[in-house]
Amino acid sequence: MDKKFAPHIEELTKALGNISRSTIEDELELLLKYRVPIDEAKRSILKKFQNDSPVLKKVNDLAIGDKGIALEVRILNINEKNVNLRGNSVTIFSGALADESGLCSFTSWKALSLNPGDAVRVRNASVRAWHNRAEVSIGDRSEVELLEETYLPDISELSVTPVKKLGEVGYSDMFISSVAAVIELYHRDVNVKGKDLTIIEGVMADETSRLPFVSWSLLDGVDIGTIVRFEDASVSMYRGVPSIHLNESTSVHIVGPEEHLSFTFASVNLPPKPLPLGDVLQNEGMFDVSVEGNIVSVRPGSGVIARCPECNRVIMKNTCRSHGVVEGIRDMRIKLILDDGTGSLLVMLNRELSEIVYGKTLQESESLMGKEMSANVVYDDMKSILTGHYLGVRGNTSKVEYGVTFVAKSVWVPSEDLDMRVSVLLERLEGVE
């Protein structure tokens, strides 16, 4: 299906959480085939699949944008407060709720007579983004029903900080305990509310994944190569990528060599193995992953660009949408679509990586523009040189309104031989007629 319909499919998938993406694609493709306008086609699909029975979801499965869902959860804490909403004082109720799969915050815009420990069934709730994570929103059309006390695990059980592998950390985790190796570590001076602090930042890894971390307190004896066990660390989210935060209340212990673990520093301090793009597309965001595929398209916006000296945004005709007319700074980037047969995603390359992949520096590209007297000559040249090439990239992913974006930190030309790739392809095609 034409990629220009991807945002519409993404929107429908979020609205119809219980309907598979492939089903929605098939329905939309059929309607467009009969020349149904896109807006009318979307309304038709929503009407066909939406029903009055809300989808029952576990906390761990919540996704930002979910609507009309049902939850069976226990209230961990609840607070009443007044907020100013468009000039009016409004009373809301907020707190945390949990089931056996995880916990998350909630806000109710309707009055609730609930206490910590109450087991409830919430119908027709929605999920919004709050501080970069999913939060349950209970509105006027939502229904809240008390359940039997024994229907869910006890509040003491649900309040225990879960012990997780790094690869299991997601939106539903506000606090976790884990064991991981420190594979990157450096100190950074910051100023917080007028107070100068030195914080520790770095990357932790286990056999399932690697995640960034920040420590707001000293970590005596901890350095690159140290394996640590930490308890009650908070988790923050940014564009779907979790990060671990250690503070004075977090218990951190160094794991000695006598303790048998399922990984070692050496085993996790390796470059990540390339993942199928189809797996990457299933995640809200991933930290430090690598993928390989063919460049099937170089997108408009690639080439020599100008950025605002104040905010670094790309500007057009020396005009920044935030700072007005400015003297732009020349830069170069490539926006390309990478495809490996399991999926395709947008990859962003900065100037350094663009120069490596394109084979021309920014200065050489500017010379080419002057010689050809054309602003698009570099973009056209990139398309002719790069389209079809096989490329490996390593970096972070995030899912935004228009799909998954991969911001690359390094690139390479995969060296594995063609026979191996053909063999893998034949295995995937086995049984396909």
Side-chain angles (χ1 to χ4, degrees):
M1 192 169 200
D2 196 317
K3 290 184 173 61
K4 70 180 181 181
F5 296 113
H8 301 291
I9 295 171
E10 190 70 25
E11 181 184 345
L12 290 168
T13 304
K14 285 184 177 180
L16 302 168
N18 57 334
I19 306 299
S20 69
R21 185 185 180 92
S22 60
T23 301
I24 293 172
E25 285 181 350
D26 291 343
E27 289 290 329
L28 185 61
E29 189 168 17
L30 181 63
L31 292 169
L32 295 176
K33 180 181 177 182
Y34 289 102
R35 300 182 182 279
V36 177
I38 181 65
D39 289 339
E40 183 60 35
K42 288 165 64 178
R43 281 194 291 272
S44 176
I45 293 172
L46 286 171
K47 185 177 180 180
K48 179 177 181 178
F49 291 109
Q50 279 183 330
N51 57 49
D52 296 331
S53 301
V55 179
L56 181 63
K57 279 201 163 189
K58 293 293 184 184
V59 170
N60 193 43
D61 297 327
L62 296 179
I64 294 171
D66 281 348
K67 294 180 180 176
I69 61 168
L71 295 162
E72 293 176 344
V73 293
R74 195 177 289 281
I75 303 296
L76 300 185
N77 57 69
I78 182 169
N79 299 292
E80 176 182 347
K81 61 182 177 182
N82 293 320
V83 298
N84 188 299
L85 184 64
R86 298 169 187 167
N88 297 317
S89 180
V90 177
T91 301
I92 64 172
F93 297 80
S94 61
L97 50 77
D99 61 15
E100 60 275 16
S101 72
L103 63 86
C104 72
S105 61
F106 74 91
T107 294
S108 175
W109 303 90
K110 62 186 295 183
L112 295 178
S113 296
L114 297 175
N115 297 302
D118 284 344
V120 296
R121 178 181 292 115
V122 183
R123 293 177 181 272
N124 204 24
S126 58
V127 181
R128 65 171 187 165
W130 180 249
H131 290 175
N132 296 309
R133 63 168 65 241
E135 179 181 84
V136 174
S137 180
I138 302 172
D140 290 336
R141 298 176 60 187
S142 304
E143 299 175 10
V144 181
E145 171 192 0
L146 277 172
L147 299 174
E148 294 289 336
E149 272 302 302
T150 56
Y151 196 80
L152 290 166
D154 189 74
I155 187 173
S156 59
E157 183 179 341
L158 294 176
S159 300
V160 173
T161 302
V163 178
K164 290 199 168 186
K165 293 292 185 182
L166 298 186
E168 300 170 335
V169 181
Y171 274 117
S172 60
D173 295 303
M174 299 177 73
F175 297 92
I176 65 156
S177 300
S178 188
V179 179
V182 177
I183 61 172
E184 292 181 25
L185 184 146
Y186 44 91
H187 296 78
R188 188 161 67 93
D189 295 328
V190 297
N191 186 287
V192 180
K193 297 180 180 178
K195 184 178 180 180
D196 293 329
L197 296 174
T198 298
I199 63 173
I200 300 172
E201 295 180 324
V203 178
M204 290 181 175
D206 64 13
E207 73 274 33
T208 65
S209 185
R210 54 184 67 195
L211 291 177
F213 78 92
V214 178
S215 177
W216 297 86
S217 58
L218 295 176
L219 297 174
D220 293 334
V222 175
D223 204 342
I224 294 175
T226 305
I227 296 179
V228 295
R229 172 177 283 104
F230 56 90
E231 299 174 353
D232 297 325
S234 62
V235 179
S236 67
M237 303 290 293
Y238 181 70
R239 293 186 174 180
V241 176
S243 61
I244 308 298
H245 288 246
L246 313 175
N247 54 40
E248 293 180 350
S249 64
T250 307
S251 171
V252 181
H253 300 285
I254 296 176
V255 177
E258 70 282 358
E259 189 168 344
H260 178 71
L261 298 174
S262 55
F263 64 89
T264 64
F265 168 73
S267 68
V268 298
N269 190 32
L270 297 171
K273 293 182 178 179
L275 296 174
L277 290 179
D279 292 354
V280 174
L281 294 171
Q282 299 301 316
N283 290 273
E284 294 291 324
M286 300 184 75
F287 177 77
D288 197 10
V289 294
S290 67
V291 297
E292 296 175 351
N294 289 95
I295 300 172
V296 296
S297 175
V298 177
R299 304 302 297 161
S302 303
V304 177
I305 59 174
R307 294 189 181 277
C308 173
E310 298 290 332
C311 63
N312 206 41
R313 285 191 176 96
V314 176
I315 62 174
M316 301 292 289
K317 299 180 180 178
N318 287 332
T319 302
C320 173
R321 61 185 178 183
S322 296
H323 299 95
V325 178
V326 295
E327 188 66 32
I329 299 174
R330 288 281 190 172
D331 195 6
M332 189 163 72
R333 71 177 179 185
I334 297 177
K335 302 165 65 177
L336 56 87
I337 302 295
L338 207 64
D339 193 307
D340 70 347
T342 68
S344 59
L345 55 72
L346 175 65
V347 178
M348 306 287 290
L349 304 183
N350 61 16
R351 173 185 169 180
E352 178 186 0
L353 300 181
S354 295
E355 290 178 335
I356 293 172
V357 172
Y358 179 37
K360 291 185 176 70
T361 65
L362 174 61
Q363 289 74 21
E364 291 170 335
S365 300
E366 289 179 313
S367 298
L368 181 61
M369 291 168 60
K371 182 179 178 181
E372 299 294 332
M373 300 291 287
S374 169
N376 292 324
V377 63
V378 175
Y379 169 52
D380 293 336
D381 195 36
M382 285 177 169
K383 287 194 293 184
S384 67
I385 291 176
L386 300 178
T387 303
H389 279 245
Y390 199 58
L391 188 71
V393 293
R394 178 178 175 180
N396 304 331
T397 73
S398 60
K399 182 176 283 187
V400 294
E401 183 180 0
Y402 301 107
V404 175
T405 298
F406 192 111
V407 179
K409 293 183 176 178
S410 62
V411 296
W412 66 92
V413 176
S415 59
E416 67 177 280
D417 59 66
L418 185 59
D419 290 341
M420 181 180 295
R421 289 173 53 193
V422 170
S423 175
V424 172
L425 180 60
L426 289 174
E427 287 182 12
R428 285 171 41 201
L429 292 175
E430 187 175 358
V432 177
E433 296 181 358

